[in-house]
């Protein structure tokens, strides 16, 4: 019977193709609810994943494809293991990235003083719009971006339950975030304070410690001459423009050069400031004595707090010098600096000090790390402002120890990532600043009483009724008040700020599992994420769960590696080396791209490699064609038939060990081991086993039925082993001969195979494969067709080995087209096939 006749008999497609599988099966999965979570299941039957909500502020890139594919393989594995998988998807659509994208796309800027215009349309570039109009534009653009994101995720084949979709700016997320904040407030964990705050002058907002990054920038050391009672005191500084904000000098205790110095006068401004000893001063840095300004950097803040120094603030929230001088600074000296930018003020003070002779020598160029907001373009400044904080262990040793204990309790994959968490917790210097002076975000849900002079009393908070959440304090009134009392003496004023995006994202377990679902999914099983947000998303979620519930939010966290470009540099939008995935998915297919992604281990960086994607496509194509061939032999009809032949049992015994290895890989959250074990066996299955048994499988009788049954069993197991990685091609092949979805089928077990083929010897498969390879090589060396007849072949080797070869001799002879095979024991220590032509 020809291959075409076999295909027709089995009802198989004549020319199976990978093209079109994504559209076909994504639609079917959605229509049939293949991945729908069963809300009635108890917690013990559920596997819950706290899925990362990607930031909706542009395009997804290959890093997203990489890490989300890893999580999806776990979800599919657990589903096949019999778990009801809670696998939601969310969009992180609040915060500064969203606002910046809206400003760039629409060419607008928000102005809270403008009234809302429901009929607003754009009339000019960089137009100012009201807060509410700006937020509406944010919602509109995010809805468009989310549609594009969803289309890509569906194309990639993520097995999420789309009915569980959420957004961090949606009403549910806002209500949960505000409720959690008010709970923190009621327990004394949230508080407001006027304090020095890291400030991004571009975004005009406060920035938390977790959002900082150091960037090397050129600078200079300036040596200034202060005036002491016994002569000049030389001080090195990189911020001479902050001289009018100077409140003290500090030196290291034990530095005899300055131990008798009690006060000095500042150059040019002639302000008397004290001199103190402090352990943070470095005696070997510069001249060993430092200028303390309010505020140049976080060390200044530490000195200011520890030494209870005066405050002389000169920088405003716009990054310019304030119009009014600080206390104690002469008007005439300060006036030339009012309104200047930092750089302009630096140039002016250098000019002035050169004229007075108080700048010693020329500035000495340096390159030094400068703190930036991770998404900002300007160096951070420190301004004094009122902000909201949540206690995080930065100033509470008992809470810090509790969080470190949670980190040790958590299962980390890879384990060494735990040290990053511990390093972050131990390095906290203050509480978590959660308020932001922006627009698109979850509003701080409080108001303040105004006194008779119209000034806010920050100790008299007005709290909303929990049943009314979410609330917008800027457009809604607190209980018992009317709109006419807003910003009026004796009335109320709204807190104008929104929460940090992590203050919402830290609650993703609560947001995704809201209401009656929560008890069925919390604490969750898995938190997959990028290693770079251990200090933000992971830490903040652990913190909120500890404060609210006294437990870990999940049992295991898996950290993803980074995607590198071909030059081994991390892909990033800033570097312009990002590869976007949709065109690649359309060109190569989702299974091929997923294969490349799954080749990367947790926590390990991987280079974007188009060649590896081509390997994945070849693998998917081979799976399609090999399956068609095996099923065309009648394997499907023989699935329940006995497996009696030694070679067939050997193949299934070897496959049983592959199942064990793949299962162990997934249990250890090492999907790459599972893929490698499965793929290696698959090529042996195709190149050796199918070639060895196909002649027998074409025939009739018990031996033929054994081959066809083994082919069917092996194919069934392989499809299930590959299903987490190659969901489309495995579903397509499964549909040719099995009912239901392969993704709802049972994960294979070794027992399933040993029950069908007991006492199988895996070594027989290796032995037969080696004999066939030697025969093929002999033909190739002679440039003969693989179909060429071999009149005589001699098998040389140990007697025990040749006795085993006799068990599979019929299949070796048929596959190698060997007319006669003589076995000659004792001639060599290994198997050697000598062919005569």
């Amino acid at each position: 019977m020809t291959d075409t006749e076999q295909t027709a008999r089995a009802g198989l497609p004549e020319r199976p193709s990978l093209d079109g599988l994504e559209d076909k099966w994504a639609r079917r999965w959605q229509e049939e609810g293949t991945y729908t979570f069963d809300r009635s299941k108890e917690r013990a039957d559920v596997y819950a994943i706290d899925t990362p909500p990607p930031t909706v502020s542009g395009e997804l890139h290959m890093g997203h494809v990489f890490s989300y594919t890893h999580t999806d393989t776990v979800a599919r594995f657990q589903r096949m293991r019999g778990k009801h998988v809670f696998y939601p998807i969310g969009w992180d659509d609040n915060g500064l990235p969203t606002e910046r994208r809206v400003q760039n796309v629409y060419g607008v800027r928000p102005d809270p003083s403008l009234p809302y215009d429901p009929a607003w349309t754009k009339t000019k570039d960089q137009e100012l719009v009201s807060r509410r109009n700006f937020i509406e534009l944010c919602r509109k653009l995010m809805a468009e971006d989310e549609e594009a994101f969803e289309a890509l995720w569906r194309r990639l084949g993520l097995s999420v339950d789309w009915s569980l979709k959420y957004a961090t700016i949606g009403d549910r997320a806002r209500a949960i975030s505000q409720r959690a904040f008010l709970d923190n407030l009621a327990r004394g964990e949230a508080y407001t304070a006027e304090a020095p705050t890291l400030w991004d002058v571009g975004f005009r907002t406060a920035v938390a410690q977790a959002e900082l990054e150091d960037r090397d920038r050129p600078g200079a050391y300036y040596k200034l001459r202060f005036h002491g009672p016994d002569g000049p005191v030389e001080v090195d500084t990189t911020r001479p423009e902050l001289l009018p904000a100077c409140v003290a000098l500090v030196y290291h205790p034990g530095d005899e050069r300055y131990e008798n110095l009690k006060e000095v006068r500042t150059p040019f401004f002639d302000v008397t400031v004290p001199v103190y000893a402090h352990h943070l001063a470095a005696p070997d840095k510069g001249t060993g004595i430092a200028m303390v300004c309010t505020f140049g950097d976080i060390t200044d803040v530490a000195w200011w707090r520890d030494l209870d120094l005066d405050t002389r603030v000169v920088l405003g929230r716009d990054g310019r010098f304030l119009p009014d001088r600080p206390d104690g600074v002469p008007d005439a000296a300060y006036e030339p600096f009012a309104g200047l930018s930092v750089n302009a003020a630096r140039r002016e003070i250098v000019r002035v000090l050169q004229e007075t002779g108080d700048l010693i020598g020329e500035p000495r160029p340096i390159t030094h790390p400068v703190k930036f907001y991770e998404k900002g373009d300007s160096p951070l400044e420190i301004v004094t402002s009122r902000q909201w904080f949540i206690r995080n262990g930065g100033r509470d040793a008992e809470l810090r120890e509790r969080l470190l204990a949670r980190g040790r309790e958590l299962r980390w994959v890879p384990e060494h990532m735990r040290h990053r968490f511990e390093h972050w917790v131990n390095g906290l210097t203050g509480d978590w600043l959660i308020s932001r002076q922006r627009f698109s975000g979850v509003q701080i849900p409080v108001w303040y009483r105004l006194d008779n002079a119209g000034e806010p009393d920050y100790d008299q908070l007005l709290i909303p009724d929990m049943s009314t959440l979410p609330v917008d304090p800027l457009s809604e009134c607190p209980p018992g008040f009317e709109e006419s009392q807003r910003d009026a003496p004796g009335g109320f004023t709204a807190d104008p700020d929104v929460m940090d995006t992590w203050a919402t994202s830290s609650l993703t377990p609560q947001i995704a599992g809201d209401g009656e679902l929560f008890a069925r999914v919390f604490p969750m099983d898995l938190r997959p994420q990028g290693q770079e947000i251990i200090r933000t998303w992971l830490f903040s979620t652990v913190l909120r769960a500890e404060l609210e519930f006294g437990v870990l939010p999940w049992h295991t966290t898996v950290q993803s590696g980074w995607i590198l470009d071909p030059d081994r540099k991390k892909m990033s939008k800033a570097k312009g080396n990002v590869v976007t995935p949709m065109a690649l998915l359309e060109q190569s297919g989702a299974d091929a791209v997923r294969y490349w992604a799954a080749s990367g281990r947790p926590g390990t960086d991987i280079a974007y490699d188009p060649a590896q994607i081509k390997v994945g496509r070849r693998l998917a194509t081979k799976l399609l064609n090999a399956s068609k061939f095996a099923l065309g032999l009648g394997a499907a009809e023989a699935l329940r038939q006995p497996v009696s032949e030694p070679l067939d049992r050997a193949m299934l015994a070897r496959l049983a060990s592959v199942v064990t290895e793949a299962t162990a890989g997934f249990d250890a959250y090492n999907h790459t081991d599972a893929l490698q074990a499965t793929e290696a066996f698959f090529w042996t299955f195709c190149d050796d086993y199918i070639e060895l048994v196909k002649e027998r499988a074409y025939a009739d009788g018990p031996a033929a039925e054994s081959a066809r049954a083994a082919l069917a069993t092996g194919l069934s197991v392989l499809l299930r082993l590959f299903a987490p990685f190659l969901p489309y091609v495995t579903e397509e092949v499964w549909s040719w001969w099995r009912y239901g979805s392969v993704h709802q089928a049972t994960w294979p077990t070794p027992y399933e195979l040993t029950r069908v083929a007991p006492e199988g010897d895996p070594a027989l498969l290796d032995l037969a494969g080696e004999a066939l390879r030697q025969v093929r090589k002999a033909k190739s060396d002679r440039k003969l067709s693989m179909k060429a007849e071999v009149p005589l072949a001699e098998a040389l080797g140990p007697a025990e080995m040749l006795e085993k070869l006799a068990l599979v001799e019929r299949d070796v002879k048929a596959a190698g087209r060997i007319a006669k095979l003589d076995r000659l024991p004792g001639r060599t220590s290994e198997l050697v096939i000598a062919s005569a032509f």
Side-chain angles (χ1 to χ4, degrees):
M1 187 179 295
T2 65
D3 288 348
T4 301
E5 290 171 332
Q6 290 279 3
T7 296
R9 187 186 78 172
L12 302 171
E14 185 173 347
R15 291 185 177 85
S17 172
L18 299 176
D19 297 334
L21 293 187
E22 286 92 343
D23 291 337
K24 171 183 177 180
W25 287 110
R27 183 176 61 254
R28 287 272 293 275
W29 291 334
Q30 183 66 20
E31 291 171 353
E32 297 174 4
T34 304
Y35 309 122
T36 300
F37 177 66
D38 188 342
R39 293 169 174 261
S40 68
K41 296 302 178 182
E42 297 300 321
R43 182 64 186 90
D45 299 321
V46 170
Y47 186 88
I49 302 173
D50 185 14
T51 322
T55 301
V56 186
S57 59
E59 291 183 306
L60 291 168
H61 53 76
M62 292 304 290
H64 292 101
V65 169
F66 179 65
S67 58
Y68 280 74
T69 296
H70 295 179
T71 305
D72 191 58
T73 64
V74 174
R76 291 179 179 278
F77 167 72
Q78 293 291 343
R79 192 177 290 113
M80 297 175 75
R81 284 284 287 271
K83 290 289 188 178
H84 296 270
V85 176
F86 179 76
Y87 190 16
I89 191 72
W91 311 120
D92 189 5
D93 45 12
N94 69 32
L96 298 178
T98 294
E99 292 190 17
R100 171 175 280 186
R101 179 160 162 74
V102 169
Q103 290 173 358
N104 292 338
V105 170
Y106 292 112
V108 298
R109 293 291 184 272
D111 183 348
S113 67
L114 294 176
Y116 172 64
D117 181 0
W120 175 84
T121 56
K122 184 178 177 182
T123 59
K124 60 182 179 180
D125 193 35
Q126 302 304 311
E127 185 173 355
L128 295 176
V129 298
S130 73
R131 167 183 172 272
R132 185 171 169 186
N133 285 120
F134 183 74
I135 290 174
E136 287 180 353
L137 289 175
C138 291
R139 303 292 185 274
K140 177 183 177 183
L141 186 58
M142 293 307 98
E144 295 171 1
D145 284 347
E146 286 164 14
E147 287 183 7
F149 277 33
E150 181 171 334
L152 188 142
W153 282 151
R154 287 182 181 273
R155 186 68 179 251
L156 185 64
L158 295 191
S159 61
V160 302
D161 182 346
W162 289 99
S163 70
L164 300 172
K165 183 170 56 176
Y166 66 88
T168 58
I169 204 65
D171 285 349
R172 182 177 68 185
R174 289 173 58 223
I176 290 170
S177 299
Q178 290 183 339
R179 184 180 299 114
F181 169 83
L182 293 173
D183 287 342
N184 291 133
L185 183 62
R187 293 192 298 264
E189 297 152 359
Y191 64 92
T192 182
E194 183 92 13
T197 307
L198 287 162
W199 189 266
D200 187 287
V201 298
F203 283 112
R204 303 283 184 91
T205 186
V207 175
Q209 183 181 351
E211 299 168 307
L212 306 182
E213 66 180 30
D214 286 335
R215 301 179 193 171
D216 287 338
R217 288 292 185 269
Y221 266 124
Y222 301 83
K223 184 169 291 186
L224 310 187
R225 178 183 287 114
F226 282 68
H227 305 286
D230 298 320
V233 178
E234 297 179 356
V235 179
D236 279 334
T237 180
T238 60
R239 301 291 304 267
E241 71 278 7
L242 294 182
L243 189 57
C246 179
V247 292
L249 298 185
V250 294
Y251 64 93
H252 192 272
D255 191 335
E256 297 179 354
R257 292 174 294 176
Y258 306 110
E259 62 184 4
N260 295 321
L261 189 62
K262 303 304 178 186
E263 63 180 25
V264 295
R265 288 179 294 110
T266 62
F268 181 66
F269 294 97
D270 199 33
V271 175
T272 299
V273 297
V275 180
Y276 294 107
H278 194 280
H279 68 277
L280 290 180
D284 57 349
K285 184 177 181 180
T287 60
I289 192 166
M291 180 171 74
V292 183
C293 302
T294 53
F295 297 92
D297 57 27
I298 56 177
T299 308
D300 279 344
V301 177
W303 281 326
W304 171 77
R305 283 187 177 136
D306 291 353
L307 300 172
D308 194 22
L309 300 175
D310 291 337
T311 303
R312 294 191 179 101
V313 176
V314 296
L315 284 180
R317 295 186 178 192
D318 59 356
R320 293 182 175 273
F321 274 60
L322 295 169
D324 299 324
R325 65 174 178 81
D327 289 344
V329 176
D331 282 330
Y334 183 79
E335 185 177 1
F337 299 91
L340 294 184
S341 68
V342 168
N343 289 333
R346 182 178 299 141
R347 290 192 294 270
E348 178 64 13
I349 194 67
V350 167
R351 183 191 68 78
V352 168
L353 294 178
Q354 285 174 332
E355 289 181 354
T356 64
D358 288 325
L359 179 66
I360 302 172
E362 293 295 320
R364 307 190 306 278
I366 60 170
T367 297
H368 61 147
V370 178
K371 296 207 176 294
F372 281 73
Y373 169 47
E374 60 189 358
K375 295 180 174 63
D377 300 320
S378 303
L380 292 175
E381 297 294 350
I382 298 178
V383 303
T384 300
S385 60
R386 179 166 292 279
Q387 303 290 342
W388 279 96
F389 299 85
I390 289 180
R391 304 188 193 281
N392 67 351
R395 299 177 185 173
D396 182 339
E398 188 273 335
L399 177 57
R400 182 188 298 116
E401 288 305 314
R402 282 160 52 196
L403 294 171
L404 290 170
R406 292 298 181 200
R408 293 188 291 270
E409 180 184 344
L410 181 62
R411 178 184 181 186
W412 293 80
V413 180
E415 167 63 24
H416 68 81
M417 291 291 179
R418 176 173 56 85
H419 300 298
R420 300 193 183 190
F421 175 84
E422 293 179 343
H423 178 76
W424 171 253
V425 175
N426 283 318
L428 289 169
T429 58
D431 289 329
W432 177 16
L433 190 157
I434 67 160
S435 49
R436 296 291 181 272
Q437 291 64 55
R438 300 303 302 176
F439 308 95
S440 179
V442 178
Q443 297 84 359
I444 302 287
V446 300
W447 302 262
Y448 307 101
R449 287 296 301 264
L450 297 179
D451 61 22
N452 292 333
E455 294 297 320
D457 183 346
Y458 293 107
D459 293 327
Q460 290 199 52
L461 298 179
L462 302 173
I463 306 298
D465 186 327
M466 287 287 197
S467 65
T468 66
L469 301 179
V471 298
D472 179 2
L474 289 170
S475 59
E476 299 175 48
C477 300
F481 288 81
E482 298 178 354
E483 185 61 31
S484 61
Q485 296 173 277
R486 185 183 297 274
D487 297 325
F492 70 92
T493 189
D495 190 299
D497 294 344
V498 299
M499 296 184 200
D500 164 23
T501 186
W502 297 112
T504 298
S505 295
S506 60
L507 302 169
T508 49
Q510 293 93 307
I511 296 169
D514 189 26
E516 51 85 20
L517 268 179
F518 191 67
R520 303 182 191 280
V521 301
F522 188 86
M524 294 185 164
D525 294 277
L526 176 65
R527 156 61 73 81
Q529 64 162 67
Q531 58 188 292
E532 69 276 11
I533 51 175
I534 289 174
R535 72 185 193 278
T536 50
W537 191 34
L538 188 144
F539 171 75
S540 63
T541 312
V542 170
L543 172 67
R544 300 301 284 279
E546 175 65 18
L547 296 177
E548 185 70 27
F549 307 108
V551 298
L552 278 173
W554 355 262
H555 304 302
T556 300
T557 181
V558 176
Q559 305 298 310
S560 178
W562 286 325
I563 299 302
L564 311 177
D565 66 15
D567 295 327
R568 308 298 295 180
K569 296 178 181 177
K570 181 187 174 185
M571 281 192 179
S572 71
K573 293 178 183 178
K575 294 179 180 177
N577 61 351
V578 166
V579 176
T580 54
M582 183 55 89
L584 191 61
L585 288 168
E586 293 171 348
Q587 175 185 351
S588 301
D591 284 344
V593 175
R594 289 172 63 100
Y595 171 85
W596 160 78
S599 299
R601 299 179 185 276
T604 302
D605 300 343
I606 185 174
Y608 166 66
D609 186 359
Q612 188 77 348
I613 294 174
K614 291 179 180 178
V615 171
R617 187 167 179 87
R618 285 197 297 270
L619 173 64
T621 301
K622 185 67 173 180
L623 183 57
L624 202 67
N625 293 329
S627 300
K628 176 195 168 187
F629 180 79
L631 295 173
L633 293 172
E637 294 83 354
L639 181 61
R640 307 301 178 193
Q641 298 300 317
V643 177
S644 56
E645 293 297 304
L647 184 61
D648 304 333
R649 290 188 172 191
M651 183 274 291
L652 296 180
R654 172 54 54 79
L655 184 53
S657 67
V658 173
V659 169
T660 298
E661 189 174 349
T663 304
F666 270 120
D667 283 339
Y669 291 93
N670 194 337
H671 56 269
T672 308
D673 280 357
L675 174 60
Q676 289 177 347
T678 303
E679 183 184 5
F681 176 82
F682 172 72
W683 289 112
T684 297
F685 179 78
C686 295
D687 296 342
D688 292 348
Y689 179 73
I690 289 180
E691 292 300 316
L692 285 162
V693 303
K694 67 180 180 182
E695 292 295 330
R696 174 158 54 93
Y698 273 123
D700 295 318
E705 286 294 322
S706 174
R708 291 194 287 267
L711 283 168
T713 302
L715 181 60
S716 171
V717 169
L718 280 167
L719 289 173
R720 285 177 281 159
L721 290 175
F722 273 129
F725 308 102
L726 312 175
Y728 288 109
V729 68
T730 53
E731 188 76 299
E732 174 70 8
V733 173
W734 191 265
S735 72
W736 294 346
W737 65 303
R738 305 299 299 272
Y739 292 107
S741 170
V742 68
H743 304 298
Q744 293 178 330
T746 302
W747 183 256
T749 65
Y751 173 73
E752 174 184 342
L753 292 157
T754 56
R755 176 176 54 83
V756 172
E759 300 178 0
D761 182 0
L764 286 181
L765 180 62
D766 298 333
L767 189 64
E770 177 60 26
L772 181 59
R773 276 189 288 277
Q774 292 192 32
V775 173
R776 287 170 171 168
K777 184 176 185 304
K779 293 180 181 182
S780 178
D781 290 344
R782 291 167 175 78
K783 296 182 170 52
L784 297 174
S785 166
M786 291 299 111
K787 295 182 179 180
E789 295 288 338
V790 179
L792 174 65
E794 295 179 336
L796 314 176
E800 183 180 356
M801 183 182 293
L802 296 184
E803 288 174 6
K804 289 187 175 183
L805 182 63
L807 298 175
V808 296
E809 180 178 318
R810 176 176 54 179
D811 293 325
V812 171
K813 290 173 64 178
R817 296 184 179 271
I818 301 170
K820 183 180 181 183
L821 177 62
D822 288 342
R823 297 186 301 279
L824 305 175
R827 303 296 179 92
T828 63
S829 60
E830 296 179 351
L831 179 67
V832 175
I833 304 295
S835 302
F837 295 92

